[in-house]
Amino acid sequence: FQAAIEFDDSQSSYFQQLASVIVLYRKDACRMLKINEQQAFDEVINLYEKALEINADDYELASDYGTTLYLLR
């Protein structure tokens, strides 16, 4: 997903999917990205916010973001 974002950063789904992967596989993501868990959570929030900037009317995206915020609290 990172390569897709670098290729075309106008697709909100790329940001959304990367955020989902980091949440689901956070231990592996932390190891790969060389970050700690809190930094991973911060990155997830940042990715969702970027996706929402691109596509604020996407209900599924907003729902995923809200669910993620709830789970991360």
Side-chain angles (χ1 to χ4, degrees):
F1 294 106
Q2 287 176 322
I5 290 170
E6 289 174 14
F7 179 73
D8 182 4
D9 65 356
S10 68
Q11 299 295 318
S12 64
S13 62
Y14 298 163
F15 292 96
Q16 180 182 8
Q17 295 303 318
L18 180 55
S20 294
V21 167
I22 292 172
V23 168
L24 291 172
Y25 303 101
R26 67 182 159 268
K27 291 184 190 279
D28 294 326
C30 287
R31 193 169 37 255
M32 187 182 91
L33 299 171
K34 296 180 172 87
I35 58 176
N36 63 40
E37 196 165 305
Q38 183 58 53
Q39 290 169 318
F41 293 150
D42 292 343
E43 181 63 14
V44 165
I45 299 304
N46 184 42
L47 289 166
Y48 272 117
E49 288 175 351
K50 286 180 184 176
L52 285 167
E53 285 176 17
I54 296 166
N55 194 1
D57 295 331
D58 185 332
Y59 174 81
E60 182 181 340
L61 171 59
S63 178
D64 285 355
Y65 180 50
T67 300
T68 301
L69 285 175
Y70 178 79
L71 293 173
L72 297 181
R73 67 180 179 116

